[in-house]
Each structure stands twice: as C-alpha cells, then as structure tokens.
Amino acid sequence: MSTTNKSPAPCWKEQHQENKGRRRRELLSPSTAARADVMAMECRNRLMESVRKIAASCNTDTQKLGLLLSGGVDSSAILQAAAVSANVRFAAAVTVVIVDPDNPNNNSRPPEDELYATEAARLYNESLSHTMKHSIVRLSPASLIQKYSRPTIQTLALWDFMETRNSLIISAALHEASKLGLTDVIVGDNADELFGGSYDIYFHEKYVNDAEGWKEKRDGMADLPFVTEKLAVKYNIKIHQPFTDQEVFVQWALRETTRNDWISKCSIQSQFGGPYEMQNCGKIVLREAFCTLASWRRMDWIFRGSGAEEGDILVGYFKTVLSDDEFRSKQTEYLQKGIKLETKEHLHNIEIFQSIFGGLVHPIKQRYPIGDPRGCVSCCFEIDEPFCHLCDAYPAQHPNHPTLGTR
C-alpha cells in the first residue's frame, strides 16, 4: 500500500479563520458575535484544564499516557490542547485503519483517519520537539473481524451489529496500546453527543425555532455510557475521557450552551487535503476553539473514517462465509426461538455470543417468553428503553408495552 507524507492543503489555517468570520457575520448582532468568541475560548480553556488534570493524575514513573488518535475533530483537539496547555508528552498515539487485501486498487490512497492522524502526530511532535510514537495498525476486514469479534462480544455481552462493528476498531486500538506498554489512554468519547456533532436529529429542521426542544434532546443524549472503559479493562488500561468530565465539561455545556452555539452551516473538508464544501456542521464551538488541520473535517463514524467506507468492506466479509440460502434457513431457525436476525453480520455475532455464554443467556438480563411484553420485540430480553442494546432493535418494546419514552 502506498503512503504519503503530504501535508494538507495550506489553506486549513485560513479556512479556520474564514469559517469563524463568516459565522460572526451571520450572527447579525455584535452581542451574539461576542458570545461566540467567549464560548470558543471557554471551551478551549475547559478542554485544556481537563487534559491537564488527566496528565497530573498519571505518575510518570509508573504510568505511560497515550491517545487513541482517529485524526478527527475530537482527538486532534485533545492533542492540540495537550500540546499548548500543559506540555503533555504522550508516549504514543494509536490509529487503526482497515485495508482491503482483495482489492489493492482501493488501497492506493490511505484511509482518511490515517492521513489526518499522521499529520496531526507530526505537528504535535514538531510543536513540542518531541518524539511521540505513532502506531498505525492496518487490518483487513477478515483479520479485524476474526481477531476481535470474540473478545469484543464477550466483554460487551451483546450481538448487535452497530455497536459491535465500531467496538472492533476500539478493541484493536486498545490491544495495540497494551502492546506498546501504555497504562493510561485518552479518548474523545462524548464530544459528538455533548456538542451536537454526530446524530441527524441534532440538525433536524423542527429544532430551528425550538431551542428548548433541541436542548432537551441533546441533554438526554449527552451523558450516555460508553463501551470504551469496558473494553479497556480486558487490556489492563485505564481510560480517560475529557469530554465526560462532569465538573469541567458536561455540566457547563448542558447549563450554558444552546443549539445556536453548536449547529451551523460551515465549509467542511471531506478528504484530507481536499476542497471545502458548505454543509450542516455540529460541534461549532469546539471546532472554533482549536485551529487544527481537522477542525473542519467532516464527521465520520469510526468504521468509515478508518477505511470501511459505508461499512461495505466489513459487511462484504460476511457475504463470503455463508450463502444466502443458508442465511435464510438460519433466520427461520432463530425466529422460532424469538430472535429476529437482520443480516449475516448479526448471525455471526449471535453465534459467537452463544458459544461464550452457553446459549441465549445474558449475564445480567432476563429473557422472557416469546410475546411477553416485558421483553424486546426482536430478542425477548428485558429492556428499559426503546432501543435494545443487545440486538439493535428500535423500537424494541412490544406493541402493548407501556411507553418507555423516545430515544
């Protein structure tokens, strides 16, 4: 696979100023423009404070601090915050990318995460005259799935395809961090949820004139649990999440920020070194707080940015291990047990789940008879919200289940 050390287009710093200036002009009044500057500075200071706290908590004689570096907005901001605020010297950064050995033409250009992360690491080392090791783990779809499905499903006790697929890459990154001897790792969890970055609902037109409705939706998603800590236990690593810091970040964001602070149309870059195009954009305050090469990068789900464009090459793997007829037969077999399987990936995961836990048994969740309204409509396991974390069903409640709210 060819690689490149090419720096991004030299306009990323200028683009940062252009996006900020355009937004100030669109805010119409001097007071709202001034607020935008204040909020960006506040966000900057709070991220620096949180990273400083994490670094201070690590004993440099016994602990080695690293970073899971996707090269996205969140991890690049963390890297920049550490560099400019506390002279934090990471021992290593880890980036996981997916390559397709069966289609070498697709590998002529490295995945976007690799390109952004490589340059971010170079700039970080240059700014501190430091030599942080940057480990890039390149895995084929088959090697990623075969090596990390079992430990991921065992740790998380689920067989869904959405959370499992993203978590495979995190598992691979944490495994590499462990091999590098890292004891503590910083991750960018919760930035998208807290700052309106990743979910289509944050951009819905119905919230343009409904600030309270948007805030209620954001507040309900902004402090969700993340699987990273669970996965890290397996690799004897302690996870640090600046954007989940209640004292420094979460309570401030929930109390002080609104949709207008986080959502706007800006010029966004879809490819490293590529052009910028106007589109809906979240995490505005965080983007404005740090001028990094990824400040105006398009948000990508982890499996896309790492190289599995739209998830196709991961999903494609499962097409090769089971025929359509065999899958339909398995679907029927599982449906008789009260399990609805959507894809071959779903089947792959649930069979691993059963081999680990001894059947359709969960370590903490009860399974109800088929049709029992207390169970998920697609797997019969108990649920306490409309979304089933075990099987991905949504809405998961039985038709005559009492309403559990909205996701």
Side-chain angles (χ1 to χ4, degrees):
M1 182 180 73
S2 65
T3 59
T4 178
N5 292 319
K6 179 183 176 183
S7 295
C11 66
W12 60 269
K13 293 182 180 179
E14 289 82 355
Q15 189 63 53
H16 185 77
Q17 296 305 319
E18 180 181 326
N19 275 338
K20 288 180 66 177
R22 182 191 304 109
R23 181 162 175 258
R24 299 304 180 275
R25 292 190 295 273
E26 291 174 351
L27 289 173
L28 301 179
S29 73
S31 61
T32 53
R35 172 185 167 81
D37 290 333
V38 170
M39 297 305 288
M41 182 57 68
E42 183 73 10
C43 183
R44 179 183 179 86
N45 290 339
R46 286 177 179 275
L47 181 55
M48 292 192 298
E49 180 183 350
S50 184
V51 171
R52 189 182 297 115
K53 282 172 56 180
I54 292 167
S57 72
C58 296
N59 185 332
T60 55
D61 293 330
T62 59
Q63 294 169 272
K64 291 179 69 175
L65 180 63
L67 174 70
L68 296 194
L69 179 59
S70 71
V73 178
D74 316 327
S75 61
S76 294
I78 290 170
L79 197 66
Q80 179 68 15
V84 300
S85 69
N87 196 31
V88 172
R89 295 175 180 261
F90 291 112
V94 177
T95 304
V96 174
V97 297
I98 303 169
V99 296
D100 186 359
D102 297 324
N103 192 355
N105 290 333
N106 282 354
N107 301 324
S108 58
R109 175 185 170 89
E112 297 307 310
D113 276 7
E114 179 174 346
L115 293 168
Y116 279 100
T118 298
E119 181 66 3
R122 185 191 71 79
L123 291 170
Y124 167 80
N125 281 332
E126 183 180 84
S127 69
L128 289 181
S129 299
H130 180 48
T131 308
M132 174 188 70
K133 178 178 177 59
H134 183 207
S135 181
I136 301 173
V137 182
R138 299 181 180 92
L139 295 167
S140 68
S143 59
L144 177 72
I145 291 165
Q146 292 168 8
K147 189 169 186 178
Y148 293 104
S149 287
R150 189 174 186 86
T152 300
I153 291 170
Q154 182 172 23
T155 301
L156 301 182
L158 47 75
W159 65 85
D160 73 346
F161 43 88
M162 182 173 67
E163 193 160 32
T164 302
R165 190 185 301 162
N166 280 340
S167 297
L168 293 177
I169 295 169
I170 298 172
S171 290
L174 291 169
H175 186 205
E176 178 66 11
S178 176
K179 291 194 291 184
L180 292 172
L182 300 178
T183 59
D184 295 71
V185 169
I186 295 182
V187 296
D189 290 345
N190 206 43
D192 282 302
E193 290 76 9
L194 188 61
F195 303 147
S198 60
Y199 301 96
D200 289 342
I201 189 66
Y202 284 141
F203 304 101
H204 200 288
E205 290 183 0
K206 70 181 181 180
Y207 291 126
V208 171
N209 297 310
D210 184 10
E212 287 303 313
W214 186 90
K215 187 177 187 304
E216 181 179 353
K217 175 60 68 174
R218 187 277 310 269
D219 291 2
M221 299 177 69
D223 202 14
L224 299 173
F226 290 88
V227 302
T228 321
E229 286 184 285
K230 292 181 180 179
L231 294 171
V233 170
K234 178 175 178 57
Y235 300 103
N236 297 312
I237 289 173
K238 182 177 181 181
I239 288 295
H240 301 273
Q241 302 157 304
F243 298 114
T244 67
D245 188 319
Q246 288 287 328
E247 179 183 351
V248 176
F249 250 123
V250 176
Q251 294 306 316
W252 164 74
L254 298 185
R255 183 180 65 250
E256 300 292 340
T257 67
T258 68
R259 183 184 189 276
N260 288 338
D261 293 317
W262 298 114
I263 306 296
S264 184
K265 283 190 177 293
C266 291
S267 290
I268 296 297
Q269 189 178 51
S270 298
Q271 287 190 323
F272 178 84
Y276 291 82
E277 298 177 354
M278 289 293 293
Q279 59 183 259
N280 283 329
C281 182
K283 300 191 285 193
I284 294 296
V285 173
L286 179 64
R287 293 174 187 271
E288 290 186 348
F290 297 96
C291 181
T292 77
L293 78 157
S295 291
W296 304 98
R297 179 187 173 184
R298 182 185 69 181
M299 184 274 164
D300 275 323
W301 294 108
I302 188 170
F303 60 85
R304 292 178 188 166
S306 65
E309 182 64 26
E310 300 298 328
D312 285 350
I313 60 174
L314 289 182
V315 175
Y317 166 81
F318 298 100
K319 296 178 181 178
T320 67
V321 298
L322 193 70
S323 72
D324 291 345
D325 287 342
E326 289 174 304
F327 175 61
R328 283 191 288 268
S329 176
K330 284 285 190 178
Q331 276 184 307
T332 300
E333 178 185 323
Y334 272 96
L335 192 58
Q336 292 171 351
K337 301 176 184 178
I339 300 289
K340 295 179 183 177
L341 297 179
E342 301 292 339
T343 66
K344 294 178 183 180
E345 184 178 10
H346 222 178
L347 173 63
H348 169 268
N349 292 347
I350 198 171
E351 298 211 321
I352 291 176
F353 177 93
Q354 289 189 93
S355 73
I356 292 169
F357 297 104
L360 294 173
V361 179
H362 192 273
I364 61 172
K365 288 182 178 289
Q366 182 177 349
R367 189 161 193 258
Y368 295 102
I370 297 174
D372 190 312
R374 293 172 294 176
C376 168
V377 71
S378 292
C379 72
C380 301
F381 280 92
E382 65 177 291
I383 53 173
D384 54 11
E385 60 175 294
F387 175 74
C388 180
H389 291 274
L390 300 190
C391 72
D392 263 351
Y394 178 77
Q397 60 264 54
H398 196 274
N400 60 349
H401 191 289
T403 300
L404 293 173
T406 57
R407 187 182 176 201

